Amino acid sequence: MLTLSEPTLLHSQNLIDGQWRDAGLRARFAVTDPATAEAFANVADSDAGDASLAVDAAAAAFPAWSRRPARERAQLLKRWHALILAHEDDLARIISTEQGKPLKEARGEVQYGASYVEWFAEEATRICGDIVAEAVPGRKLLVLKEPVGVVAAITPWNFPLAMIARKIAPALAAGCTVVAKPAEDTPLTALALAGLAQQAGMPKGVVNIVTASREHTPGVVDAWLADSRVRKVTFTGSTPVGKHLARESAATLKKLSLELGGNAPFIVFDDADLDAAVDGLMASKFRNGGQTCVCPNRVYVHDTVHDAFVERLAQRVRALHVGPATEDAAQIGPMINARAVDKIARHVEDAVARGARVVTGGKRVRRADGPNYYAPTVLVDATPAMALSCEETFGPVAPIFRFRDEAEVIRDANDTPFGLAAYFYSSDVRRIWRVAQALETGMVGINEGAIAAEAAPFGGVKESGYGREGSRHGLDDYMHTKYLCQGQLG
Ligand code: SIN
């Protein structure tokens, strides 16, 4: 049961051209609480027609929005930011109810998402080009940054607020307009956020949200991919879907930002501060129940510190409280759905069948209130032959691999098509630089498990995608470069 102090934050229709509208076919789909696996709301189930209407609105709004002075766009973003923070508690309740993360983490997500809005409000006023030294007398060479146009944002369920905020905010700061489709598991947070953007005074058509069920999502997304008015697609989600978007957007050569799957290594060297490494692993592995693209999927621990590390880690993991967001003590909530729990169980069973040993956890948690819980787990004797070493588990499972030397662990860490994040703990400054440079990932946490921040460029290499979110690079991704050459000045 979702009770809010501001019930008007709950919307169930699409936001198109400043109007809340039913889907064209009046279809709806259910939104489920992962804690109970029961439906508690329903929202518009849109199709290609709704998707195109949203593009009509965004394309019509683009000329005026892109010409608006950057300071005015920034002021609107700042108002939006203030409203998000003013509704932190309600937004956190919506996030917890549709996504499952404990309330404390959901509040953290509201602040994290809001920080991107504030950052890009500030960056909007710092967009600048270049004046280049002329190569030929009598000519002036100027470089301008211009918004790319209509942006389609396709966002995941694991951070229902932060991911859409970190796509919409830079788009608007750059002068783009947006059509967005949140994940079918978590549409309510995106709709609430868009409602607050409207309340902040965002002109109609600048932010449009279209919701769709799993079944109808391809219709909406394919309509955007085929539409030449959509000039950029930004997506966070799986690598297979990212590849589909890259292929299908090639016909109209859209700009793309793809934040895709990861398989993050977390390396503990023999010279590491073990307590700090355990803290870092707890923060990065068990945040959001292990359902993050950047969470460690493979934990490599040096042979000489292996047993001490595992003992300290297991003690902390056993103490984690599993439960729904309605329990204040909850630290690990339900997984998003039954498919997710099945995948985690399959990975653990496969690992055990191939020789891994369960130190703690390793099973589903049977609770009267719902079926989607999995116990926080530590496994030892993990090997590259196990499914969890090459597929993202996306759950609260820390498999420990033993290693003996630096070259071997770097080779194993890089032995994956993915390259999103990596982490390592060491106190040797020479090793720190060597390893940081050798790891084939877009982001590296050095003696740090919590690496995401609005001021930092978030993104991967290899099959984890391209483009960056956050930081000034995150704004650049929504602009193109125009060169002006003015002659006859001599
Ligand atoms: C993700 O899981 O894709 C995002 C995680 C983050 O922003 O820290």
Side-chain angles (χ1 to χ4, degrees), residues 112 116 156 158-159 163 166 236 259 287 291-294 394 420 452 458:
Y112 176 47
Y116 284 97
N158 61 344
F159 289 88
M163 295 303 100
R166 88 174 176 201
T236 297
E259 199 259 273
R287 166 177 174 236
Q291 302 173 110
T292 75
C293 301
V294 286
F394 237 61
L420 189 56
F458 191 105

Side-chain angles (χ1 to χ4, degrees), residues 25-85:
L25 298 176
R26 303 210 170 276
R28 304 187 78 72
F29 70 97
V31 186
T32 301
D33 177 348
T36 59
E38 281 168 11
F40 69 98
N42 60 63
V43 298
D45 195 0
S46 313
D47 63 6
D50 302 300
S52 295
L53 280 179
V55 180
D56 293 346
F62 177 70
W65 179 251
S66 58
R67 282 200 294 267
R68 230 160 140 159
R71 187 154 296 283
E72 284 182 28
R73 293 201 301 270
Q75 275 158 357
L76 283 166
L77 283 165
K78 280 190 181 158
R79 256 184 254 152
W80 190 29
H81 169 253
L83 284 169
I84 295 170
L85 290 185

